Amino acid sequence: MSKKRADNGIPKYQQIATDIAYKIVNGIYQEGQKIYARSAIGSQYSVSSETARRAMCILADWDVVTIEKNSGVLIKSMDNAKNFLQQQEKTRSIHNLKRNILDSVKRQQQEIEVLYDYLTEMIDQIERYRSTNPFIPYEMVVTEETPYLDRTVGEVDFWQETFATVIAIRRNGVLMMSPGPKAVFRKNDIIYYTGDEDCPDRVRKFMYPD
């Protein structure tokens, strides 16, 4: 970061101009008083004479001071110094608001990137887990829309039509393991079954053909 620009992004010469304007408003410098030459101002604020010159030019543009060639800087108007400070305050407020917005956007982008990384990791782990554990069951809720309501697993040729194996049925909170081909599909049953990755789509189309 440049030494001529503070952490808050305000150029050093602008900070110097603001500081001198504050001194005028607070009576440290009086109207009609002559203050240091540019080189002395640069030494006072530990900046180059060019930075000091730019600070004085800003104040001169606002008629706060008059730059007298080879004779220093003359304080011209306290009122103009006040006007300059008011404008600086508005500029600083806008700058701070802009910085806060950009910081907020940056934080949101970082949070989105972190969330994306978490989601990617979770999906990868699920896929790896499923590939090493092919018997992780799928599940489906039986509704009255199926044409196979109150019919048995064997009666509707469930396995032959879907290549899915029913391994359990949960009914009214009770889990029935290995129900077999005589198990009946009842409304609100939760059917647990195993099969390949295309199995859920085949089961859904079979149970709800419309």
Side-chain angles (χ1 to χ4, degrees):
M1 181 178 294
S2 173
K3 293 181 179 179
K4 293 184 179 180
R5 186 176 292 271
D7 292 339
N8 58 12
I10 301 175
K12 188 66 176 179
Y13 63 85
Q14 195 166 337
Q15 295 180 55
I16 295 172
T18 301
D19 185 64
I20 293 174
Y22 271 119
K23 289 180 178 179
I24 295 172
V25 171
N26 292 329
I28 297 175
Y29 295 145
Q30 303 291 329
E31 290 183 356
Q33 179 181 349
K34 186 174 294 186
I35 59 176
Y36 313 102
R38 288 197 299 267
S39 59
I41 293 173
S43 177
Q44 178 185 358
Y45 290 97
S46 299
V47 296
S48 67
S49 58
E50 173 60 20
T51 299
R53 184 192 69 80
R54 296 183 68 180
M56 293 301 101
C57 286
I58 291 177
L59 294 177
D61 288 341
W62 279 81
D63 284 333
V64 177
V65 302
T66 299
I67 300 175
E68 298 182 342
K69 188 175 182 180
N70 300 323
S71 183
V73 177
L74 184 68
I75 305 301
K76 185 176 181 180
S77 172
M78 178 183 290
D79 288 339
N80 289 342
K82 291 179 181 178
N83 293 336
F84 172 75
L85 291 177
Q86 290 175 355
Q87 186 272 345
Q88 289 298 105
E89 186 62 34
K90 293 178 181 177
T91 301
R92 187 178 296 107
S93 297
I94 294 173
H95 175 82
N96 289 340
L97 180 59
K98 176 183 175 182
R99 183 178 60 185
N100 290 338
I101 292 173
L102 292 177
D103 288 345
S104 178
V105 170
K106 184 177 180 180
R107 286 195 301 271
Q108 291 181 20
Q109 290 175 337
Q110 292 172 340
E111 290 172 358
I112 290 173
E113 290 175 359
V114 171
L115 177 60
Y116 178 81
D117 290 340
Y118 284 150
L119 288 174
T120 301
E121 182 181 357
M122 182 184 70
I123 292 171
D124 289 344
Q125 289 188 13
I126 290 174
E127 293 301 322
R128 287 197 300 270
Y129 188 67
R130 186 174 293 280
S131 65
T132 57
N133 296 270
F135 298 108
I136 296 175
Y138 299 100
E139 63 180 75
M140 178 197 65
V141 178
V142 178
T143 72
E144 58 187 4
E145 296 177 1
T146 178
Y148 306 120
L149 199 65
D150 299 324
R151 299 179 66 181
T152 67
V153 173
E155 183 182 359
V156 300
D157 294 328
F158 185 81
W159 184 86
Q160 290 85 346
E161 295 292 337
T162 65
F163 298 105
T165 301
V166 177
I167 61 172
I169 298 177
R170 184 179 295 277
R171 180 177 296 158
N172 298 324
V174 178
L175 186 65
M176 299 178 289
M177 300 296 296
S178 303
K182 294 184 179 181
V184 179
F185 293 118
R186 303 292 190 192
K187 183 179 178 181
N188 296 326
D189 281 354
I190 300 177
I191 307 300
Y192 297 94
Y193 61 93
T194 59
D196 60 31
E197 60 182 12
D198 296 324
C199 195
D201 188 53
R202 291 196 300 270
V203 169
R204 178 177 53 81
K205 289 180 180 179
F206 174 73
M207 293 296 290
Y208 302 100
D210 293 336

